[in-house]
Amino acid sequence: MPREAEPSLNERQFVLQALRENLRLDGRPFDKYRPVELIFGEQYGVVEVSFGKTKILAKTSAELTVPYVDRPLDGIFTIATELSPMTAPSFEVNRPTETEVLLSRLLEKTVRRSGALDTESLCLVAGQKCWSVRVDVHVLSHDGDLTDAACLAVVAALRHFRKPDTSIEGGLLTVYTPAEREPVPLSWLHSPFCVTWSFYGDQGEMALLDATLSEEHVRVGSCTISMNRHGEICQIAKLGGTPVDAVALLQCTNVALVKVKDFSAFLDRKLAEDAKRRDKGGLMAELSAENDR
Amino acid sequence: MASTQHVLLSPAELAYLHSSLSQTPPIRPDGRTATQFRPLVAETGILPGTNGSARICFADGTEAIVGVKAEVEATGRQEEEGDEEGEGGSGNGNGNGSDWVEMSVEIPGVRDDDSGTAFLAAMLSEAVVADGGLVGRLRINGRFHWKLYLDILLISPPLSYPLPLLSLTTHLALLATRLPRLKSEGDEDPFFDDDWAAATYLYPRGEKRTRRPPVTLLVMAVGKNIIFDPSKEELAVADVTLAVSVGEESKPDSEKQKRGRRLKLVAVRTVDPPSRLTPPGVPNAVNAAYGAGGRQKQTGPRPVEPEAVEGVWRAPRGGAKPVVMAALVQKTLEAGGVADEVLDALDGVDLG
Amino acid sequence: MPLDTSAYSLALLRVDGRRWNELRRIHAQIRTQAAADGSSYLEMGHTKVMCVVTGPSEPGPKRGGMTGGVGGGGGERSSTADVSVSVVIAGFSSVDRKRRGRGDKRTLELQSTISSALAASLHTHLHPNSTIAISLHVLSQDGSLLAALINAATLACIDAGIPMTDYVVACTAGSTSTYAANDEGADPLLDMNHQEEQELPSLTVATLGSSDRVAVLVCESRVQVSRLEGMLAVGVDGCKQVREILDRVVREKGRRMIQEGTIEKGMSLDDMDID
């Protein structure tokens, strides 16, 4: 089993000493994200998110299937995360590492269990037909803070996605091709985002946002807070690590709320831009009686 | 299947152990007699959330907990769909009703699909199902039956081959298992009395007591001696090891007054003791597994097998004689023998 | 099965009759198992867990994958001891029998959390190149599972005599109204049972001893951010109570062992020699 290369003692101390002098290697303030980029693909539901060198591709797909026996009124919604050897040699296919398990659990709790997607709306015929929506998360390049980037990618991909329109007449289910009817967006309830803090120092007194990979290697603990812009916590995960003062954690939560609002506004803006771009030569524009003089 | 990992004993230690166990009477490292069981502490009904549960702690510190859960299942559906869960250790697929009992064994630090664990689960469930009678009692009516889930947990690290421990714990848990009393009649959808005090025992007791679940005992032979409940070190020098499952037969009326019980043999399996594995450090040239025996056409001089030297351990070769096998089983089953004694002891456990 | 939360506002009593700041009965035992280096048994209400610690010892034969539990503090040839945790949730532990395989992500997350929380407070640097194997068995579940597992693991580590900074103690806290109802009068609750965990927002908090320093904070339900402070405060306070209880158990056992003299100790040493 290949193991991740650990940073040398020199690297370790260099990063830590710099942090003690309030410096990060890339010159950012402690509570600032790297430049966030978000590019929508040609297809609906494909999005590429990058935080500095961390790059994540999320792709949404939907197919018709039979609902689970124990949940006949709910559609199926799954998030699949894959860390392939392409990301780093220490990741192997079909052998989930701890990073991967924790990442997929976090996404699961943040997006799925918080009810961001209305799964009941995915059900077409109770107990017989429903949509199965699946988001595949591919980590293309790993330079720290996978969780936040992956969460943004998943939420963006799901909100960008359009599923084929359907109708039921007299028990007959019709699925329309995009040419027949414009595909419809998913029924989306709220947009949760993850904000991950990394802690440093003996008492975990220094807290960093958006740690890079080398910073993640030397951290003594981390805490991922998922919230939506209404200030609802969807999930908090501080899974062990050096104990951190409770008051400091509350402070982290408050900063996280600000960041989540930023993410939310950023995504709304990007989605609006994309919608405008797609709309330009669309069918609706062609049929419009208005002419732009 | 190797029953335990290699014990780290030198050839001299193994030889010493072997010769002291071959004495008449045998001298065991812990001073027990050949037929003596390790002392144990047992309790039942420890988990109110189960239909039946038991815990046994052997004096060497190994400890096991068994919980029994029963669920109502429609009969017939199972045959069509097959066993969906397909867990390692379910006794499925051997005859009618055997998939009504599902067993799983958890041993710390061992994968649940490990061959050793699967073998243990198979041995245990085989005995329980083969005893007959049990499956009949799980029937509710023509359309429904109880499905029993037995979860066997070994709590302590596996210091000795856990088969006897797990089997005795399972035995007690099954004895303590109660099923809610049926209130519905005929083939209608079953409904039950929700008064737990009225629940009936899976294995009826008192006057109506007929049978009890089988126990599986570990017996080994060293030289001429037959030794019960061997420890890990003793297994390392066993000539042959058997897992013998013993059930109790209901007595014909004529013998009702007589004391004692009629024992019957339910199942026998041979267990590969580690003594049969090639110990570490044996060169490939003399290792039978590498074909040392079959390479006689070889031109060079055949590597000379080391002579049996007094005080140096040599693994036993070849199978066990039928006489020895028969003696092992015979010794287990005889009236007043070990199985009898163990069942007597388990009778003494308060079933709460 | 919606929980009737309206009853709370009338009598200020919860479904099992507790007040908002009451813990359930905690019953703990240490040294329950003669063959292990350290062992414990812990009940928090109807949640029952058992823990067995082996080590610090030389790492055993390397097993592939994540089957042997998740390693916490570095790998082989490390300067610190490796804390590997395995959690077995017995099939009979919940009301409906449900068997989880070893690949279950929730179990893996539990293992990783416990391992990482303990690795930070155990003095692992005193035992380089060794493994502390913690094996946890869940016998019965009624809420606060992670908290019970952490407490049991702490007790067993103490029994095993592994040096540590302080107890890592955990408990759960919740809030009386669901996230949707944004009422200001919501009371925080201490020590959630299964039914409350299903219906109400809750979080698990583990602190280092009686300090305010939080080692583990896990919240898996939606809750208003304003509610967090109250819940966290109650949780941290609950941890202090739990620490008192666990400390009493350890001291009581120590006192009894001294009273009984070294006999018991000598016996267990002999047992170890045979192995």
Side-chain angles (χ1 to χ4, degrees), chain B residues 61 63 69 106 109 149 151, chain C residues 33 63 92 94-95 97 102:
Chain B
E63 182 179 2
K69 276 255 190 202
E106 284 279 359
Y149 293 95
D151 290 282
Chain C
Q33 236 251 301
R63 270 177 243 100
F92 51 76
S94 46
V95 177
R97 183 184 183 279
R102 269 176 205 243

Side-chain angles (χ1 to χ4, degrees), chain C residues 8-204:
Chain C
Y8 180 80
S9 56
L10 295 175
L12 296 182
L13 290 174
R14 291 152 71 176
V15 276
D16 50 6
R18 284 181 290 153
R19 307 241 172 234
W20 65 274
N21 61 348
E22 264 180 282
L23 285 171
R24 287 176 289 174
R25 188 182 80 105
I26 295 186
H27 169 73
Q29 276 174 286
I30 62 170
R31 188 152 298 188
T32 50
Q33 236 251 301
D37 293 326
S39 53
S40 67
Y41 172 73
L42 183 103
E43 286 179 17
M44 286 173 87
H46 290 298
T47 301
K48 299 174 184 175
V49 296
M50 265 185 150
C51 180
V52 170
V53 171
T54 316
S57 60
E58 244 180 87
K62 194 82 182 142
R63 270 177 243 100
M66 301 186 64
T67 51
V70 185
E76 274 181 297
R77 286 193 304 281
S78 63
S79 56
T80 56
D82 192 30
V83 182
S84 89
V85 176
S86 84
V87 175
V88 174
I89 300 181
F92 51 76
S93 62
S94 46
V95 177
D96 297 314
R97 183 184 183 279
K98 191 177 177 192
R99 210 171 112 74
R100 295 171 182 282
R102 269 176 205 243
D104 182 60
K105 283 184 178 163
R106 183 169 157 249
T107 316
L108 291 176
E109 190 188 43
L110 285 176
Q111 291 177 354
S112 152
T113 306
I114 298 164
S115 154
S116 160
L118 284 172
S121 90
L122 295 173
H123 288 305
T124 49
H125 61 275
L126 296 175
H127 303 281
N129 301 325
S130 49
T131 301
I132 299 166
I134 300 174
S135 144
L136 287 150
H137 292 267
V138 180
L139 303 181
S140 169
Q141 297 185 63
D142 185 24
S144 305
L145 180 63
L146 175 61
L149 289 172
I150 291 176
N151 291 335
T154 303
L155 279 180
C157 284
I158 291 171
D159 183 30
I162 303 168
M164 56 203 293
T165 330
D166 201 338
Y167 292 73
V168 182
V169 281
C171 73
T172 50
S175 186
T176 45
S177 68
T178 53
Y179 70 91
N182 191 13
D183 63 36
E184 291 300 314
D187 268 343
L189 298 175
L190 182 63
D191 195 13
M192 311 288 277
N193 64 24
H194 178 69
Q195 209 181 351
E196 290 170 330
E197 248 176 19
Q198 292 286 306
E199 296 296 322
L200 302 171
S202 68
L203 53 81
T204 302

Side-chain angles (χ1 to χ4, degrees), chain B residues 4 27 55 88 96 121 125 132 154 168-170 185 189 204 215 352:
Chain B
T4 41
I27 301 168
R55 166 179 167 266
N96 177 39
S125 65
L154 185 66
L168 295 188
T169 320
T170 310
E185 286 165 3
D189 282 1
V215 288

Side-chain angles (χ1 to χ4, degrees), chain A residues 106-124:
Chain A
L106 274 173
L107 291 178
E108 168 101 13
K109 285 194 277 189
T110 306
V111 183
R112 213 168 80 94
R113 291 198 27 181
S114 73
L117 179 66
D118 178 14
T119 48
E120 275 181 37
S121 71
L122 296 177
C123 183
L124 299 170

Side-chain angles (χ1 to χ4, degrees), chain B residues 4-89:
Chain B
T4 41
Q5 62 282 51
H6 276 291
V7 280
L8 292 172
L9 292 178
S10 67
E13 284 170 314
L14 287 170
Y16 173 76
L17 200 55
H18 187 262
S19 55
S20 66
L21 286 176
S22 332
Q23 305 266 326
T24 22
I27 301 168
R28 302 177 69 170
D30 46 9
R32 283 185 285 163
T33 64
T35 55
Q36 204 175 355
F37 240 71
R38 280 168 286 186
L40 57 86
V41 181
E43 55 181 331
T44 59
I46 49 166
L47 299 166
T50 58
N51 290 69
S53 57
R55 166 179 167 266
I56 288 188
C57 194
F58 271 170
D60 64 354
T62 50
E63 182 179 2
I65 289 183
V66 173
V68 182
K69 276 255 190 202
E71 278 173 17
V72 177
E73 199 180 56
T75 314
R77 190 184 64 92
Q78 190 79 3
E79 271 81 353
E80 289 152 28
E81 292 187 10
D83 193 5
E84 284 173 77
E85 308 232 319
E87 265 126 28

Side-chain angles (χ1 to χ4, degrees), chain B residues 225-280:
Chain B
N225 289 325
I226 293 171
I227 291 168
F228 284 87
D229 190 27
S231 68
K232 184 167 84 173
E233 291 76 22
E234 289 167 338
L235 271 179
V237 296
D239 289 340
V240 57
T241 312
L242 276 192
V244 184
S245 303
V246 183
E248 191 182 348
E249 207 156 23
S250 45
K251 276 185 269 185
D253 288 338
S254 56
E255 289 182 37
K256 270 269 154 59
Q257 280 73 33
K258 284 192 199 160
R259 270 188 50 77
R261 46 172 68 84
R262 280 165 66 110
L263 297 172
K264 66 166 182 186
L265 184 67
V266 177
V268 177
R269 287 236 191 184
T270 54
V271 176
D272 253 358
S275 59
R276 299 219 161 247
L277 302 176
T278 309

